[in-house]
Amino acid sequence: TGIQLWQWDRWMFVGQELARRISSIWTSLELGLGIMATKIAVFAAFVLALSHTCLGQDQSFRFSNTLGSNMVLQRKPHQAVVWGWSVPNDPVTVYHANWVGPTEADENGMWKAELPSTEEGGPYTISAQSKHYRTELRMDNVLFGDVYLCGGQSNMQFTVDSAFNATAEVIAAAGYEDVRVFTVGQKTSSPTPLLELETIAQNWSQASRASVGGGNWTYFSAVCWFFGRNIYDHFKRAVPIGLISNNWGGTCVQAWSSTDALTKCNQTIGASTAEEYTNPEDVEVGGPAGNSNLYNAMINPYLPMRISGAIWYQGECNVGASPQHGGEYYGCQFPAMIDDWRTKFALPDMYFGFVQLAPWISVRSCMELFGAACFFSCAQSVCSALF
């Protein structure tokens, strides 16, 4: 990623030292011990060395994995935030252009710095220095512009490679180098809030044939891409755009809502709604069903970040759910989720755009038909309430 070359040297040293020690142990023990005793000793040495290495890595000096070279940070009037990890209470200094910002890691080892308000443009190098590790981190080719998070279920996950005229659209992406893309992985859900992403499908990348046309249902999100590309064109290509594809097919709104948002609609914290799924997509895609579990794993790690807004394309999961989590419930939970995201990101006026679902459903019962009708009616109520 170009963030910290020193880590490679560190791992090379550890590997070489580990190999030397194992070789020495093997030679000496072969002279006086049997094969079995030798193998046991070597294995113990390997486990000991590996444990020390892993413990050291847990405390290593690093940027948050939501950040990276080639990214877009939010432009003025906001003040972009960069953050990362070190040992507790480590004095850290952050550098941006001619600005120098001292900060300090908290008791959990997290440090962060609010950068000065910066006009759109770049590229810049953002660096950070640790007093404890006596080393420097770098993020290169960083632009300032507008950043958007693209959430929802398979409607948003659907990729450019699956769109009409996909070949031409993927080729055209190479002409949008100041649009940068990042895709959160879909292998992690959590019953408690996480501070780091545990799964990343695509690190920050300049738009290109490879980064936008990564394959069906991988990266990059079609709706997210076309939204960002159109905004970039609207600003006459003068404002860089950062796009975060953060979605999971077959998931309901309650999975993306924090516990605070759930309580506003009388939801049980940590409950699972898996048994309620009746929509075929939910069964085939197999999205996690626990309340708040995707908010915890995929949204919470982004809360320190300054963004322009979010877009949302989701709803079939709730159309196909039981009445308890169907259309009428959606009319409460969806606006509660939006309000909560705005509160958690500390952006009370954050833009939140969403697609109202077309009147499509695979109806297998009168109850489903009623639920769909209620859902679309409630979606219209959401529009009225928000705007």
Side-chain angles (χ1 to χ4, degrees), residues 120-141:
E120 61 268 15
Y124 293 95
T125 292
I126 310 294
S127 61
Q129 291 182 348
S130 160
K131 183 175 181 180
H132 175 84
Y133 285 100
R134 299 182 182 277
T135 190
E136 180 183 79
L137 309 178
R138 288 169 58 97
M139 296 192 299
D140 297 313
N141 194 28

Side-chain angles (χ1 to χ4, degrees), residues 12-27 42 46 49:
M12 286 292 290
F13 171 78
V14 170
Q16 292 169 356
E17 181 66 13
L18 181 60
R20 185 187 67 78
R21 292 185 182 184
I22 289 176
S23 177
S24 176
I25 292 171
W26 185 274
T27 300
V42 170
F46 175 80

Side-chain angles (χ1 to χ4, degrees), residues 168-212:
E169 295 291 357
V170 168
I171 292 173
Y176 289 83
E177 291 186 351
D178 283 353
V179 178
R180 308 295 174 83
V181 295
F182 183 103
T183 302
V184 180
Q186 295 184 341
K187 295 182 180 180
T188 305
S189 62
S190 174
T192 57
L194 303 180
L195 298 179
E196 288 260 79
L197 296 173
E198 292 193 359
T199 310
I200 296 174
Q202 176 189 39
N203 283 301
W204 282 104
S205 307
Q206 292 180 257
S208 66
R209 296 179 64 172
S211 63
V212 173

Side-chain angles (χ1 to χ4, degrees), residues 170-380:
V170 168
I171 292 173
Y176 289 83
E177 291 186 351
D178 283 353
V179 178
R180 308 295 174 83
V181 295
F182 183 103
T183 302
V184 180
Q186 295 184 341
K187 295 182 180 180
T188 305
S189 62
S190 174
T192 57
L194 303 180
L195 298 179
E196 288 260 79
L197 296 173
E198 292 193 359
T199 310
I200 296 174
Q202 176 189 39
N203 283 301
W204 282 104
S205 307
Q206 292 180 257
S208 66
R209 296 179 64 172
S211 63
V212 173
N216 293 334
W217 301 100
T218 54
Y219 53 82
F220 191 69
S221 161
V223 174
C224 191
W225 169 250
F226 292 128
F227 170 83
R229 189 189 69 178
N230 289 344
I231 289 181
Y232 183 67
D233 286 338
H234 172 76
F235 284 120
K236 302 186 186 302
R237 302 189 170 215
V239 179
I241 300 295
L243 301 172
I244 302 166
S245 178
N246 194 344
N247 39 74
W248 197 322
T251 53
C252 290
V253 67
Q254 54 268 34
W256 299 98
S257 301
S258 74
T259 55
D260 292 331
L262 290 174
T263 56
K264 293 181 180 179
C265 299
N266 300 316
Q267 291 301 293
T268 302
I269 306 305
S272 173
T273 55
E275 71 281 356
E276 301 177 0
Y277 288 5
T278 58
N279 191 310
E281 178 206 2
D282 305 329
V283 177
E284 293 171 5
V285 178
N291 287 353
S292 299
N293 60 352
L294 297 184
Y295 172 87
N296 291 335
M298 300 170 73
I299 302 298
N300 196 74
Y302 278 96
L303 294 185
M305 183 178 286
R306 293 292 176 265
I307 62 176
S308 282
I311 63 173
W312 181 260
Y313 199 173
Q314 183 270 339
E316 287 93 344
C317 176
N318 290 93
V319 171
S322 69
Q324 181 184 0
H325 292 107
E328 188 172 356
Y329 160 74
Y330 201 86
C332 175
Q333 193 62 68
F334 185 38
M337 187 200 81
I338 296 172
D339 288 343
D340 185 68
W341 281 24
R342 286 171 170 164
T343 299
K344 294 296 197 301
F345 277 101
L347 297 168
D349 298 322
M350 182 181 82
Y351 169 80
F352 196 104
F354 62 91
V355 179
Q356 182 177 347
L357 293 183
W360 168 92
I361 186 171
S362 176
V363 178
R364 294 180 298 280
S365 69
C366 292
M367 181 59 72
E368 283 191 29
L369 181 60
F370 172 79
C374 184
F375 180 88
F376 298 124
S377 174
C378 289
Q380 290 177 336

